[in-house]
Amino acid sequence: MFLISGIANFGGPGTGAPGSVLMLYGLDINRISCDSIFNLLCSYGNILKVKILINKPGTAMVHMDNPQAAKNALQHLQQTRGMGNTLQLALVARMVLHDCCAKLFFVAFLNMTT
């Protein structure tokens, strides 16, 4: 299970389709946010959800609206320099990103701070 430091829903109730989830690697952990990932990828298609993973520093998952948008982002951003590092992108077999892990993380975080 991945722990999540940030999650943002940018889309409506859309579920996307198989092949519409991307993994991004090589992100600068000091500069990255859900909004900056959205800005990086929004010109390639609609973004439904962004998750930044804390147990894999510099890694994020992005749920695009359709597989073609994910393929466009992969084709144009693979091995490009951005946000301080060389970006690596990969398509994921997952159909959708769920919020359950994020809810568990935030509950655990709230329990630690009280």
Side-chain angles (χ1 to χ4, degrees), residues 21-42:
V21 177
L22 283 171
M23 290 290 293
L24 278 71
Y25 304 97
L27 302 169
D28 185 344
I29 61 173
N30 297 316
R31 295 174 158 177
I32 201 67
S33 69
C34 290
D35 289 334
S36 62
I37 294 171
F38 175 85
N39 289 336
L40 179 68
L41 296 173
C42 68

Side-chain angles (χ1 to χ4, degrees), residues 53-73:
L53 309 176
I54 60 170
N55 65 337
K56 293 190 177 265
T59 304
M61 295 177 82
V62 179
H63 186 188
M64 305 290 285
D65 189 35
N66 62 63
Q68 188 58 48
K71 289 176 187 171
N72 288 341

